[in-house]
Amino acid sequence: MAYTAHVDTFARDNLPPADQMPEFIFELPELHYPDRLNCAAALLDGAIARGWGDRIAIIGQNVRLTYRELNEQANQVARFLLEDWGLVPGNRVLLRGPNTPMLAVTWFGAVKAGLVVVATMAMLREKELNEIVQKAQITAALCDKRFAEELHKTAQSQPMLAHVCFFNGGDADSLEAHMAQKPITFNAVETAADDVVAIAFTSGTTGKPKGTMHYHRDMLAICDCFPKSTLKITMDDRCIGTPPLAFTFGLGGSLLFPLRVGASTILLESYTPESMLNTIREMQATITFTSPFFYRKMAELIANIPVPTLHKCVSAGEALPAATRQLWKDTSGIDLIDGIGATEMLHIFISHTEADAKAGATGKPIPGYHAKIVDFEGNEVPQGQPGRLAVKGPTGCRYLADARQTIYVQNGWNLTGDTYLIDVDGYFVYQARSDDMIISAGYNIAGPEVEEVLMRHPAVAECVVVGAPDPERGTIVKAYVVVKPGTAHSDELVSQLQDHVKNTIAPYKYPRAIEFITELPRTNTGKVQRFVLRDRAWQAGKQQA
Ligand code: 3UK
């Protein structure tokens, strides 16, 4: 039996069977971690040992935590969870709240205690929380007081959730009050490098939530890949990002990456494009992590809110249109670093340095990862031909007790569900989510390609292109368009947009139907819910037929 510190072996027991696991590769020497590894101890006790104790780790609304303070508070949380609640290593702990220093403290406390963290977005409601509690068999929760209501409902309907405590509320029974009773020292539980440390539920634009399981070593691996080879983060950096810590994009960018190198992170609860720019300016942030959507919005405002300290900008979560890359370069002077990541892979695996940026392309596999494009049989397709993106590296997909494991992982490769091609220069070029390919009158049309063209029209703020049923052609290309403020919805504009597409790309790709809407439906993580518009187009088409 392999070593584990988990007394409660639920996570290990529900890993995919060995023959359904992706292949893991550790060709970079920095990814050879010791067999016993607690990633929170490696980050925090490690930071103190490296002499960073007095450096600022986290900047919050009215608080700054040094590495030493963060470590001490995490130690108190770990003691509370083990000593007062009697939890044992391997038990699952749900965390709930917007990004705040205390949320980060609870993450590190639970991890130091050898528990399995299930971080959830503050927007989730009882129904979604119930599903997560049942699926991950969660017995304890730490929750931001201001988001107590839905968790109370879940605690009532899920008796399994026996322990609940609140922070950021200041009452007598708060987590902070319990912490104050605890010594500031704690020997982190000596977990195995391959003990599960977190279950991240996919933001999933469709379907039932899937829990992805990640090991202690995975958390360090993501810190030692993209941030070092590609982003080139240093201890003088100050990170800021919009994604919640419950989304692994945010966990990496706004917490683990900066702490791995002795840098600082700014954790505020929520941002508008304007408040984000103001915060970057006031707090002298140097690296941003957010979505293409947010960069487009900030680009409109940046002339009035200059941010001279900012020097690196990471875009992920959805495809970066070439127009957005250009807009951000023109307005901020900075070349965006685009990167594709996935909850299953924990973080970014294809990206590029600023010097190697290529408009319209995501980049190349980052050092430590391999990628290829395959057909439905799993055979590599010729260069230039679109196919399914397959990746492998030090991290990979391990669904918690889920039959969909064999869809995501085939022959040791992780299939992300994206259609890509490799261009003449070896760059990976995003085409569409595999289910966003529109087949119209026999032509294969990638919705995002048409979107990219529409976005270049001066009247278009945002758009989504989907297939809509059509009695003659089977499916036609339909665009849902949000126009820029002050632009009228008119038939002339429809014709103009159609001509614009016909004049820019192969005319058969033009949207035969265009509908104006006021905003795009988005998920909690800011991704466009294409399926909502796909369904809407489908329903509308059926009524017409
Ligand atoms: C899409 C992209 C094109 C793609 C994520 C960075 O987005 C993250 O995780 P999710 O599980 O979604 C994964 C899917 O999102 N996608 C993400 N980034 C890009 N498509 N270009 C991109 N740059 O369809 C992928 O399969 O929500 C992103 C880090 C951690 C993450 N979890």
Side-chain angles (χ1 to χ4, degrees):
M1 251 297 273
Y3 171 80
T4 174
H6 284 187
V7 177
D8 171 351
T9 57
F10 169 86
R12 185 161 292 223
D13 297 342
N14 284 286
L15 284 168
D19 62 344
Q20 293 179 15
M21 283 283 194
E23 190 191 330
F24 294 99
I25 41 183
F26 303 97
E27 38 188 34
L28 304 182
E30 53 269 42
L31 303 181
H32 297 163
Y33 302 109
D35 291 341
R36 300 201 183 184
L37 176 76
N38 182 311
C39 65
L43 287 165
L44 298 186
D45 295 306
I48 313 277
R50 286 187 283 274
W52 302 340
D54 295 322
R55 293 181 66 86
I56 298 294
I58 300 183
I59 301 171
Q61 189 60 60
N62 294 310
V63 52
R64 282 174 187 233
L65 294 181
T66 63
Y67 279 83
R68 181 170 296 106
E69 290 164 331
L70 173 59
N71 192 35
E72 291 171 355
Q73 293 186 18
N75 287 344
Q76 291 174 310
V77 170
R79 281 181 180 269
F80 168 71
L81 295 169
L82 298 180
E83 295 166 7
D84 292 18
W85 277 356
L87 299 183
V88 298
N91 284 164
R92 274 76 54 215
V93 179
L94 183 142
L95 306 181
R96 169 176 168 83
N99 287 358
T100 60
M102 266 307 285
L103 184 70
V105 166
T106 61
W107 195 93
F108 282 110
V111 172
K112 286 193 116 181
L115 302 167
V116 177
V117 169
V118 184
T120 61
M121 320 241 183
M123 306 83 125
L124 296 193
R125 298 202 167 266
E126 181 196 358
K127 178 179 172 294
E128 294 138 322
L129 290 171
N130 287 350
E131 284 172 8
I132 290 173
V133 167
Q134 284 166 6
K135 187 98 208 245
Q137 301 275 298
I138 299 174
T139 54
L142 299 174
C143 174
D144 190 299
K145 179 81 185 178
R146 296 157 300 166
F147 294 81
E149 196 181 324
E150 298 290 321
L151 189 72
H152 277 309
K153 292 187 205 162
T154 288
Q156 259 159 26
S157 64
Q158 308 294 317
M160 182 197 319
L161 189 59
H163 307 283
V164 178
C165 189
F166 298 94
F167 54 89
N168 288 343
D171 33 301
D173 200 30
S174 68
L175 177 60
E176 291 89 335
H178 289 290
M179 285 162 62
Q181 305 300 311
K182 296 292 173 192
I184 54 175
T185 56
F186 176 72
N187 290 325
V189 170
E190 209 178 42
T191 40
D194 61 359
D195 274 334
V196 172
V197 64
I199 304 175
F201 280 84
T202 51
S203 59
T205 46
T206 50
K208 285 210 168 64
K210 291 170 272 193
T212 66
M213 301 206 271
H214 303 285
Y215 295 164
H216 281 265
R217 67 165 199 235
D218 302 336
M219 296 293 163
L220 295 190
I222 60 168
C223 296
D224 294 339
C225 285
F226 172 77
K228 294 193 176 163
S229 67
T230 309
L231 177 61
K232 300 186 173 28
I233 187 175
T234 74
M235 67 178 346
D236 298 322
D237 277 307
R238 201 170 262 194
C239 298
I240 184 169
T242 56
L245 298 181
F247 181 22
T248 63
F249 181 26
L251 178 68
S254 289
L255 196 62
L256 306 183
F257 297 175
L259 298 194
R260 182 69 168 160
V261 296
S264 313
T265 183
I266 299 165
L267 284 183
L268 298 186
E269 303 189 7
S270 65
Y271 299 99
T272 61
E274 186 175 8
S275 75
M276 173 101 156
L277 283 169
N278 281 322
T279 309
I280 297 170
R281 186 174 169 77
E282 279 155 29
M283 311 251 188
Q284 304 182 342
T286 62
I287 301 182
T288 48
F289 293 87
T290 187
S291 62
F293 171 69
F294 229 75
Y295 286 113
R296 283 196 290 277
K297 291 287 173 195
M298 290 197 297
E300 291 170 18
L301 306 165
I302 197 168
N304 294 322
I305 313 173
V307 286
T309 55
L310 186 64
H311 73 137
K312 297 201 180 227
C313 300
V314 178
S315 172
E318 58 190 0
L320 174 67
T324 305
R325 170 181 290 291
Q326 190 63 47
L327 176 69
W328 189 248
K329 173 82 183 174
D330 291 346
T331 51
S332 75
I334 299 171
D335 284 303
L336 282 170
I337 300 174
D338 185 13
I340 177 171
T343 308
E344 286 83 351
M345 301 300 297
L346 197 52
H347 221 277
I348 289 172
F349 46 86
I350 295 177
S351 183
H352 57 81
T353 60
E354 292 105 313
D356 292 331
K358 182 170 180 185
T362 314
K364 298 183 180 175
I366 62 172
Y369 286 84
H370 293 256
K372 61 180 185 177
I373 311 298
V374 298
D375 64 16
F376 277 95
E377 272 84 53
N379 302 313
E380 237 169 294
V381 303
Q383 180 262 312
Q385 198 168 302
R388 302 188 299 159
L389 176 63
V391 295
K392 63 181 162 190
T395 59
C397 176
R398 310 176 194 100
Y399 286 134
L400 164 66
D402 201 308
R404 288 169 288 186
Q405 177 74 15
T406 55
I407 300 175
Y408 205 97
V409 176
Q410 293 175 16
N411 305 318
W413 291 82
N414 299 275
L415 292 159
T416 64
D418 298 290
T419 302
Y420 262 79
L421 61 76
I422 302 180
D423 73 7
V424 283
D425 301 320
Y427 279 75
F428 284 67
V429 182
Y430 177 80
Q431 305 293 299
R433 284 290 302 171
S434 298
D435 49 15
D436 287 331
M437 291 303 275
I438 304 165
I439 303 172
S440 179
Y443 287 108
N444 253 339
I445 302 163
E449 184 190 5
V450 183
E451 287 163 16
E452 164 92 51
V453 173
L454 282 170
M455 291 281 297
R456 290 174 173 278
H457 190 280
V460 176
E462 291 204 281
C463 63
V464 162
V465 170
V466 296
D470 180 77
E472 258 172 56
R473 305 181 163 261
T475 309
I476 55 163
V477 176
K478 172 160 189 177
Y480 287 93
V481 172
V482 180
V483 295
K484 293 232 175 96
T487 310
H489 299 168
S490 67
D491 291 346
E492 286 94 275
L493 183 56
V494 169
S495 319
Q496 270 180 28
L497 293 175
Q498 290 173 327
D499 289 343
H500 167 71
V501 175
K502 286 188 211 166
N503 293 334
T504 315
I505 50 177
Y508 69 84
K509 296 178 181 171
Y510 89 91
R512 287 173 191 271
I514 293 184
E515 185 178 328
F516 296 110
I517 55 178
T518 51
E519 61 175 358
L520 300 184
R522 290 185 182 276
T523 62
N524 289 337
T525 56
K527 270 188 229 294
V528 175
Q529 288 173 305
R530 313 176 59 91
F531 74 97
V532 169
L533 295 172
R534 229 182 342 242
D535 287 355
R536 187 158 145 188
W538 185 252
Q539 294 302 332
K542 269 199 317 204
Q543 273 156 23
Q544 272 169 24

